[in-house]
Amino acid sequence: MPHRSPLHVGMRRVFSKVLLAGLLAIQQIDARDLKSRKVTTRLRARDDAAFDWYKLDASEDITWTPCGSGQQCARVLLPLDYSREADSPKATIALQMQPAAGNATYKGAVLVNPGGPGGSGTQMVAEIGTNLTELVGAGYDVIGFDPRGTGATLPLAQCFETESELQTFAQRTPVLVNASDDSIPYSKAQNDAVAQLCQRKLGGNGSEDANGTVEEWGGGRFMDTASVATDMLRIIEKLGQDKLHYFGVSYGTILGQYFASLYPDKVGRFVIDAVCDAEYYPWNSALVETEGVIDGLYSYCHLAGPAKCPLYESSIAKIKARVWNIMKTKTPLAVPFAAQGPAVVTEALLQQQILNAVYFPISEWPEFANILVAVETNNQSVLAASDFVAAAAPACNSTNEPAPWLRTNSAEYAIACSDYPLADDPAAFDAYLREMTRESPIAAPGWVGSYLACMKWKIEAKKRFAGPFAGNTSSPIFVLSNVLDPVCPFAHARRVHARFPGSGLLVQNATGHVATLTPSACTVAAVQAYFANGTLPAAGAVCQPNVLPFVGAVGGD
Ligand SMILES: *[C@@H]1O[C@H](CO)[C@@H](O)[C@H](O)[C@H]1NC(C)=O
Ligand SMILES: *[C@@H]1O[C@H](CO)[C@@H](O)[C@H](O)[C@H]1NC(C)=O
Ligand SMILES: *[C@@H]1O[C@H](CO)[C@@H](O)[C@H](O)[C@H]1NC(C)=O
Ligand SMILES: *[C@@H]1O[C@H](CO)[C@@H](O)[C@H](O)[C@H]1NC(C)=O
Ligand SMILES: *[C@@H]1O[C@H](CO)[C@@H](O)[C@H](O)[C@H]1NC(C)=O
Ligand SMILES: *[C@@H]1O[C@H](CO)[C@@H](O)[C@H](O)[C@H]1NC(C)=O
Ligand SMILES: *[C@@H]1O[C@H](CO)[C@@H](O)[C@H](O)[C@H]1NC(C)=O
Ligand SMILES: *[C@@H]1O[C@H](CO)[C@@H](O)[C@H](O)[C@H]1NC(C)=O
Ligand SMILES: *[C@@H]1O[C@H](CO)[C@@H](O)[C@H](O)[C@H]1NC(C)=O
Ligand SMILES: *[C@@H]1O[C@H](CO)[C@@H](O)[C@H](O)[C@H]1NC(C)=O
């Protein structure tokens, strides 16, 4: 899809790095080690070549088949349209499970969601299933599922004919959407094109005949988050489980709020981490803490000192001035011999990179600092080898078409724009751009494209749930947040905590997106205790991190 959405950028990395938490805290890994752990975005290359999701039988019951690395996969048929179950065509939902350890007391299944919207739960489990088991406890099965529109689930929100067609189109996407140039009208037209492709593929043909096909009914009309919440209920029912145990991050916290509001008496052990308030979905008031997180780039660099931060200067203000001087005066810079072909590093690209890096300060900032210094000194060997520069020159390989479930898709908008349709109103967009720019001048131009996409989206969900997002849940929810989160602010977590009576709130004194991605023995112990015993954090509880950006390991444990 043309726009790198805010939550989606996060999600992509989240499922490759989630659960650094427990393990990193335990192993005392510092920031430099994290860098070397970079995981490729094309994950599952190993198993996927061999494993064909579409050859896996789909059935009304959940029937597990081994799919590598001790994991189990299944495809389950559920009604596409929950308002007409009797004669609706079926959605085919892909599931992937990291089974509970045989010798532990069995406690049920925990469903997980990696964010997005558009993130693949099966990929999340494929990549970090064992790490999730460590977080929730060996007595639980951990099950990732691909929400409607995503991954190996059908219908899939795929609007382009091929991946290379999509990548070629996406290359012309403005990096930043900024009122001072022509990127806004261009971006609107580009999103209009995508919206029309998607309408043709996913919008249906206007009939809902009994025994008709998903294509006729229009798969894209049934990708709203409430339908996904109902899918989760049906999945646990099919597993013979009364309550939903759940771990969701980022957009996964929104899915969690939908579920807990629609089915409050079905809530079991339920952790939401990096909470975006569903009342403000999609993407409103999301950037109120972003600048605070970005300020940490300068302050943690200063705290770490010259040996650990290559941008170090004698004061925080001087570090900040150096960063912006590099961005503004050393670009555009040619990188002729980059790994994936010649590239140009622009100020806009670096600004976008700040927004990407701000999600995960511990793992991303050291790399970002290295790139800035390389730009400052025109260090071509560093730039040519950098993933970041490679991403600026994306490769389109039309003879290397990925399997459908690994292709880029438009699920993010199929889901978000269904949940929250936006009128195609230029004045409303201007107001949104102004508000986001007030919240974070640095992040807003890389953020607001998602809003344009929903303004242009043409498929209307048949039904949607618009709140209220609140409930007296059968079992208390565990709300977890960093003290400063760049896209799902702590302020949102506090509001959600207040609307779910009895819920617990744990604050981690760290910056970045998703608390469990920052190593903290305290946070991991709190989550483990909750899944083990239902123990909630005490009122006002704060956990300290065991790693700080640039600084590395801190604290005794
Ligand atoms: C996840 O767990 C595996 C083995 O259980 C371990 O090798 C790996 O380092 C862990 N991943 C992370 C990101 O800590
Ligand atoms: C279960 O078995 C695993 C692997 O054999 C072992 O590491 C673990 O300690 C055992 N757990 C319990 C609770 O016995
Ligand atoms: C928008 O672009 C102009 C230059 O084209 C730049 O001066 C300005 O700072 C940009 N605004 C934002 C919010 O990035
Ligand atoms: C939709 O497609 C089906 C199957 O091709 C066809 O029978 C039906 O008449 C179409 N409905 C409309 C409204 O075009
Ligand atoms: C739908 O399919 C079922 C089972 O194949 C069949 O019994 C039923 O008559 C069909 N209904 C219509 C309206 O075609
Ligand atoms: C480029 O950076 C690398 C890594 O920091 C360093 O070893 C090398 O000397 C630098 N090259 C130049 C020309 O500055
Ligand atoms: C494109 O993909 C094919 C098949 O995987 C591979 O053989 C070829 O080298 C790739 N071409 C480029 C330019 O990467
Ligand atoms: C939760 O229960 C309280 C006390 O019975 C009630 O006042 C409140 O309206 C309930 N909230 C929701 C969302 O149902
Ligand atoms: C958070 O950590 C900072 C140091 O990084 C410390 O100064 C501050 O007191 C801590 N706040 C809380 C509430 O623990
Ligand atoms: C769970 O509760 C039991 C009994 O109260 C206790 O021994 C155990 O340490 C608790 N486990 C965790 C992880 O808190």
Side-chain angles (χ1 to χ4, degrees):
M1 75 220 86
H3 284 290
R4 301 192 72 193
S5 127
L7 299 185
H8 187 74
V9 171
M11 173 279 299
R12 222 180 262 163
R13 311 226 173 158
V14 164
F15 59 62
S16 61
K17 285 182 183 158
V18 141
L19 251 313
L20 294 181
L23 312 135
L24 298 186
I26 292 157
Q27 299 168 6
Q28 294 275 330
I29 290 171
D30 77 13
R32 249 178 311 240
D33 293 323
L34 277 175
K35 210 181 101 195
S36 65
R37 290 183 166 236
K38 221 169 175 35
V39 188
T40 56
T41 44
R42 278 263 171 268
L43 38 116
R44 283 205 318 191
R46 175 181 47 95
D47 287 349
D48 270 315
F51 187 71
D52 186 341
W53 275 102
Y54 291 172
K55 287 197 178 135
L56 191 60
D57 280 342
S59 58
E60 307 265 342
D61 298 326
I62 297 178
T63 312
W64 296 108
T65 301
C67 52
S69 308
Q71 299 189 336
Q72 304 279 328
C73 292
R75 294 204 299 162
V76 62
L77 296 169
L78 292 171
L80 181 70
D81 181 352
Y82 281 113
S83 71
R84 262 184 73 180
E85 290 200 29
D87 52 12
S88 162
K90 301 292 185 189
T92 306
I93 310 293
L95 307 173
Q96 186 150 345
M97 172 169 69
Q98 176 71 44
N103 55 357
T105 306
Y106 185 66
K107 308 192 94 164
V110 180
L111 266 55
V112 297
N113 180 281
S120 158
T122 63
Q123 288 193 358
M124 182 187 193
V125 166
E127 191 161 277
I128 54 149
T130 54
N131 311 85
L132 288 165
T133 296
E134 197 160 326
L135 184 68
V136 303
Y140 290 100
D141 292 323
V142 174
I143 298 179
F145 67 99
D146 292 338
R148 294 154 178 247
T150 77
T153 280
L154 295 171
L156 175 59
Q158 216 164 63
C159 307
F160 288 77
E161 291 302 324
T162 61
E163 182 72 16
S164 59
E165 181 186 285
L166 180 150
Q167 294 297 344
T168 306
F169 185 79
Q171 271 177 33
R172 299 191 290 264
T173 303
V175 175
L176 302 176
V177 177
N178 181 331
S180 65
D181 56 24
D182 66 356
S183 55
I184 290 175
Y186 184 86
S187 205
K188 282 181 181 170
Q190 199 183 36
N191 278 298
D192 193 33
V194 175
Q196 292 194 47
L197 286 180
C198 289
Q199 185 182 35
R200 178 181 285 184
K201 280 274 179 83
L202 307 170
N205 78 346
S207 84
E208 286 184 3
D209 295 337
N211 295 348
T213 65
V214 171
E215 289 67 32
E216 288 156 18
W217 284 50
R221 298 170 60 230
F222 305 94
M223 291 178 180
D224 59 290
T225 295
S227 292
V228 178
T230 305
D231 289 340
M232 294 203 291
L233 180 66
R234 295 302 168 88
I235 290 167
I236 60 157
E237 285 172 355
K238 284 173 187 287
L239 293 169
Q241 192 169 308
D242 183 41
K243 310 278 194 233
L244 172 66
H245 306 312
Y246 182 70
F247 176 71
V249 302
S250 194
Y251 160 78
T253 71
I254 290 173
L255 174 57
Q257 290 165 66
Y258 271 74
F259 184 91
S261 305
L262 287 163
Y263 308 111
D265 57 338
K266 293 292 176 182
V267 170
R269 302 272 194 263
F270 208 94
V271 174
I272 52 176
D273 177 6
V275 180
C276 271
D277 186 348
E279 300 278 4
Y280 286 75
Y281 173 57
W283 314 308
N284 281 303
S285 88
L287 303 180
V288 290
E289 293 168 7
T290 317
E291 295 286 320
V293 181
I294 294 170
D295 285 343
L297 172 65
Y298 323 123
S299 59
Y300 284 115
C301 177
H302 189 256
L303 183 65
K308 289 182 171 172
C309 181
L311 291 165
Y312 179 82
E313 296 288 332
S314 58
S315 74
I316 294 172
K318 282 182 182 164
I319 295 172
K320 181 174 181 179
R322 180 173 174 190
V323 167
W324 287 92
N325 183 58
I326 296 168
M327 305 236 313
K328 299 230 173 263
T329 71
K330 304 289 183 177
T331 58
L333 179 66
V335 185
F337 307 114
Q340 278 183 265
V344 174
V345 175
T346 60
E347 179 188 351
L349 202 59
L350 290 172
Q351 188 176 335
Q352 175 66 34
Q353 184 62 7
I354 292 184
L355 181 56
N356 291 350
V358 83
Y359 281 77
F360 308 115
I362 291 172
S363 56
E364 303 298 315
W365 279 348
E367 184 181 359
F368 182 59
N370 287 337
I371 289 164
L372 282 179
V373 171
V375 169
E376 185 179 44
T377 58
N378 192 11
N379 188 325
Q380 288 287 330
S381 58
V382 168
L383 293 173
S386 138
D387 286 353
F388 155 72
V389 175
C396 294
N397 188 341
S398 57
T399 62
N400 194 18
E401 181 70 11
W405 49 91
L406 293 177
R407 277 180 52 191
T408 312
N409 59 52
S410 298
E412 176 185 355
Y413 304 123
I415 297 167
C417 312
S418 293
D419 290 338
Y420 197 96
L422 295 174
D424 188 355
D425 174 357
F429 175 74
D430 290 345
Y432 180 74
L433 177 60
R434 271 198 306 278
E435 169 59 17
M436 288 295 113
T437 304
R438 192 185 60 72
E439 290 177 9
S440 175
I442 296 174
W447 177 268
V448 298
S450 303
Y451 190 101
L452 288 179
C454 285
M455 275 172 64
K456 293 295 175 187
W457 192 253
K458 309 232 175 325
I459 302 170
E460 190 185 347
K462 180 169 179 186
K463 220 169 155 239
R464 70 185 182 101
F465 176 67
F469 295 95
N472 290 303
T473 54
S474 44
S475 161
I477 291 174
F478 185 137
V479 177
L480 176 57
S481 178
N482 275 342
V483 74
L484 283 181
D485 185 302
V487 290
C488 294
F490 178 40
H492 283 206
R494 275 195 306 246
R495 286 200 294 257
V496 171
H497 168 55
R499 288 204 307 272
F500 287 94
S503 63
L505 175 64
L506 179 64
V507 186
Q508 182 173 267
N509 186 19
T511 69
H513 190 48
V514 182
T516 44
L517 287 176
T518 291
S520 165
C522 168
T523 299
V524 171
V527 175
Q528 287 173 336
Y530 172 78
F531 275 106
N533 290 354
T535 313
L536 282 174
V542 178
C543 275
Q544 304 301 328
N546 291 111
V547 174
L548 296 177
F550 292 116
V551 175
V554 291
D557 51 359

